[in-house]
């Protein structure tokens, strides 16, 4: 059954998703529960993440703002796209 994914139109792999969100606002949730919200600058195969205009949220409250941030991949629980996160805050 190889190639079934190619026959389905609109099927995206996780790698396709990650490529498509580069340069867009994202939420990165860490294993510790802390959220980082900002613009995804780049990421690698180990899920190391570089972000711009980064904000750190602890328990839903803004704690810090960073220009650029680097997050080591083994700390990442998930990456999610966000709609208007930077403008809205929480």
């Amino acid at each position: 059954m190889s190639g079934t994914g190619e026959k389905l139109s609109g099927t995206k792999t996780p790698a396709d998703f990650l490529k498509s969100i580069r340069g867009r606002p994202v939420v990165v949730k860490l294993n510790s529960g802390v959220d980082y919200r900002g613009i995804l600058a780049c990421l690698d195969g180990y899920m190391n993440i570089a972000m711009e205009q980064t904000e750190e949220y602890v328990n839903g409250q803004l704690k810090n703002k960073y220009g650029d941030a680097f997050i080591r991949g083994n700390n990442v629980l998930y990456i999610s796209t966000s709609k208007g996160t930077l403008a809205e805050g929480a």
Side-chain angles (χ1 to χ4, degrees):
M1 279 243 174
S2 64
T4 29
E6 296 172 49
K7 292 179 183 177
L8 300 173
S9 64
T11 301
K12 289 178 95 173
T13 66
D16 293 334
F17 168 73
L18 293 172
K19 287 177 190 172
S20 73
I21 63 171
R22 198 173 315 152
R24 293 180 48 202
V26 295
V27 176
V28 177
K29 180 115 177 158
L30 303 188
N31 295 326
S32 65
V34 176
D35 289 349
Y36 287 91
R37 302 176 187 188
I39 307 298
L40 180 65
C42 63
L43 77 153
D44 65 13
Y46 295 102
M47 293 292 281
N48 295 318
I49 299 169
M51 296 176 69
E52 300 169 342
Q53 303 172 30
T54 310
E55 298 174 340
E56 178 183 47
Y57 288 83
V58 178
N59 297 325
Q61 293 189 326
L62 178 63
K63 291 295 179 184
N64 274 309
K65 290 186 178 185
Y66 306 103
D68 295 331
F70 180 82
I71 301 171
R72 189 170 176 198
N74 67 332
N75 295 311
V76 176
L77 183 62
Y78 67 78
I79 302 173
S80 173
T81 57
S82 60
K83 296 179 180 173
T85 303
L86 296 177
E88 292 174 324

